[in-house]
Amino acid sequence: MGIVELENVKKVYTLGKAEVHAVRGVTFSIEKGDFASIVGPSGSGKSTILNLIGCIDQPTDGIVSINGTVTDGLKDKALTRLRHETLGFIFQSFNLIPVLNVYENIEFPLLLGKDKRSKKEIREWIEFLVEAVGLGDHMHHKSNELSGGQRQRVAIARALATKPEIVLADEPTANLDSKTGQSIIELMKKMNAELNTTFIFSTHDRTIMDIADHVIQLLDGLVVEDTKRSAKVGNLS
Amino acid sequence: MLLTMKVAFRNILRQKKRSFLLAGAIAFGMLVITLMNALTGGVVGNIRENFSHALGGHIFIMGREWTDAGQMIMKIRPDERLEQLLEEHGAQIEGFTRRSQAMPTMIFGSRQTMQMLYGVDFAEETKLLESLIVTEGSFSEIGTEEASIILPQPVGERLGVQVGETMIIRLETLTGQQNVGEVKVVAFIKDQEELGLSAAYTSRSYLNTLLGMDPHEYQLLNMFLTDLDMVDEFARVFREGLRAEDEEEEVVEAEPAVSVTVAGMPMDPMTEREELTPWEGTRYQIMHINQIMEAVELVVGVLNRVGQVIFLILLVVTMVGITNTFRMIMIERTKEIGTMRAFGMHQKQVKNIFLWEAVFLGLLGCIAGLFLALVISFIVGGIELNTDPSMQFFLDNGKITFIFSLTKVVFNTAIVVFISLLAAYWPARAAAKMSPIKALSSHT
């Protein structure tokens, strides 16, 4: 059984009197430790599927199962808990909390729940993440003092702070130049390999999707290709 | 909770101008109400203090007895019960004075006027001398010259008498005979005639001689207490202790407070209702400063209520501002709210960020308002005012006094925080209820 399972999932949005079928019956499974890419042109349903996997949206029909939990029928509290315990997010426009510095942004998800680790352990873990994303010298900088690439690195560290099973990244390189985008994907791949965290990211950049070991291709809300590559790419750093 | 508090506090610093304006509006309200409370508190304190000085105490004991001719006179003779009470409660008595009094006609040349005159033991009444404002002459001769008098300036002007000159006083003795004496004017003092407190002062032994009393007798025993909160209890203890066996319990509280002073002298309300059946020995009438202050406190209470209403109106206006601002903030931070929700922040925690922000704004406003009130009161309180003599009664040596009450400050702060919370509640609730997907899809 995959860590993420979608079974005939549909999502219909109502825009005024019109209905938009964003996802028309999608079925796929992603295994633990996958570095999965959801690709497709704009409007193909990539972001909608990531939102459904991320429990920030509910399907109109079908079943979404995250780490063995079916999300259908869960109340807000349970969904919030599931997100906190199982998922990490990386956004296209970074979405760092502007009033917090690098360290505090990464620490932020840890403070939302009850962590059994000591303060010292938490501090060491955050420092490890900051070093891992190459921002050891920027620990106390605010987000507006960082470049786009640096902000996305902070976002990656933040997504991994709670040691989630799955990290979702919605077009993580879209606001970055190609070189920085490439380095961000490589960083994600490195973390995937080192921490065995499942990464699922959406992109329409063909060069980036080639790094993925599992590619799900969408078109008009339907899966048109689901490819798994047997050989996983190792540590790129 | 620490996380929500931290984010909330930093959010306030994020839009400094906006926070400054909101907190400024709150601070203005707090400034107005704090100054008003402190000013009225100071006025009450000064009136009480000035009354006490003018009347010579906080507790006033008068003695009355019947003469053989069936005439009631005011006189206190040496009394063991009284001495014992004074001894027992000596620790709570800061000082006491024994005064005689009369309403003589003062004559100088062809001019004459009636004037309240107190016979005072000047050696005992140092507080009185401190409170009197000398306009001409000095008190230095008082101790050496027994037949000397301190006159209110307007009385001196009416009579045309100068400091150092001698004038005549004509009065009735306690038993109704006419008597005349000569006194030397040693000083003029500022007068509070408008408040009915115009009084002249001479030595008690001299006035006693004119009134036909022994030198060790007196008419009023006035006490200054160490703690003004004890006034009511003290008066009760003395009433109990001095009540004659056949005397009915005195119900002074039932009397209207305004009837207690005439010409600066505590009057005896009992004579108006009491059946004047002669009794043996001395009966005592005990009055206290709070009875006089009741009317003042009533006026001050109304002033404070008016201040409270102004404060509430200001707060309601501010509340509308806070609500609108928080709505704006909610729209501005929609994506941020979505991000926090995505990472597992619960609805309640989102709501708490907004509410803490409102609390901090309210508290910052209160602190700023209090600080301004302290600065203003410090500056204004340092200015000596040359006002009308009647105004001096509200002042402390010509200066406005501000008394800050911790209870009132805490109460007003609590109101501000409550109203800030109320104002921010609906936007906070709306922010918390926002769906994470809608929040993250927002373009703000």
Side-chain angles (χ1 to χ4, degrees), chain A residues 51 56-57 76-77 80-81 83-84 89 91 93 95 97-100 104 107-109 111-112 158-159, chain B residues 3 6-7 10-11 14 335-336 338-347 349 435-438 440-441:
Chain A
N51 289 338
I56 52 178
D57 203 1
D76 184 78
K77 266 191 182 174
T80 305
R81 206 176 304 122
R83 282 199 299 270
H84 181 251
F89 294 85
F91 299 99
S93 38
N95 292 19
I97 313 287
V99 292
L100 303 178
E104 290 165 336
E107 186 190 30
F108 177 79
L111 301 176
L112 293 172
R158 179 179 64 178
Chain B
L3 175 71
K6 182 162 81 177
V7 173
R10 295 211 186 152
N11 277 340
R14 196 164 162 181
K335 198 160 230 169
E336 208 172 300
T339 306
M340 292 193 283
R341 294 280 286 123
F343 276 100
M345 183 173 260
H346 287 278
Q347 291 183 346
Q349 290 171 300
S435 123
I437 181 69
K438 277 186 185 164
L440 282 168
S441 315

Side-chain angles (χ1 to χ4, degrees), chain B residues 201-369:
Chain B
Y201 302 91
T202 187
S203 77
R204 192 180 77 205
S205 56
Y206 182 65
L207 185 60
N208 279 6
T209 310
L210 294 178
L211 287 168
M213 290 163 65
D214 289 343
H216 55 272
E217 291 175 343
Y218 50 97
Q219 292 176 297
L220 285 166
L221 172 65
N222 299 344
M223 284 183 276
F224 283 102
L225 303 185
T226 52
D227 182 2
L228 271 175
D229 292 339
M230 292 165 55
V231 165
D232 291 292
E233 176 59 14
F234 225 77
R236 191 193 62 76
V237 169
F238 272 74
R239 268 190 209 114
E240 295 288 324
L242 295 173
R243 192 186 311 133
E245 279 175 18
D246 58 341
E247 192 178 352
E248 281 179 26
E249 196 173 337
E250 196 181 316
V251 193
V252 178
E253 282 71 15
E255 285 299 319
V258 284
S259 71
V260 271
T261 61
V262 174
M265 172 187 151
M267 291 302 286
D268 180 358
M270 187 174 275
T271 53
E272 293 167 17
R273 64 167 196 275
E274 192 179 45
E275 266 189 57
L276 295 176
T277 314
W279 57 79
E280 288 290 321
T282 307
R283 282 194 180 178
Y284 294 94
Q285 184 74 38
I286 291 108
M287 309 295 293
H288 55 83
I289 193 76
N290 286 354
Q291 287 170 285
I292 299 160
M293 291 306 296
E294 272 172 24
V296 177
E297 278 170 357
L298 192 73
V299 174
V300 167
V302 171
L303 275 177
N304 275 337
R305 297 237 175 346
V306 170
Q308 212 76 39
V309 169
I310 295 171
F311 179 52
L312 282 176
I313 291 169
L314 279 171
L315 281 185
V316 168
V317 173
T318 312
M319 185 178 159
V320 174
I322 292 176
T323 305
N324 283 334
T325 308
F326 271 75
R327 274 191 189 149
M328 216 154 68
I329 287 172
M330 186 191 81
I331 294 164
E332 282 171 8
R333 296 189 200 149
T334 304
K335 198 160 230 169
E336 208 172 300
I337 294 165
T339 306
M340 292 193 283
R341 294 280 286 123
F343 276 100
M345 183 173 260
H346 287 278
Q347 291 183 346
K348 197 177 163 188
Q349 290 171 300
V350 173
K351 189 164 77 182
N352 285 348
I353 288 181
F354 281 77
L355 295 180
W356 274 118
E357 230 171 296
V359 169
F360 287 140
L361 259 181
L363 286 176
L364 281 174
C366 286
I367 291 167

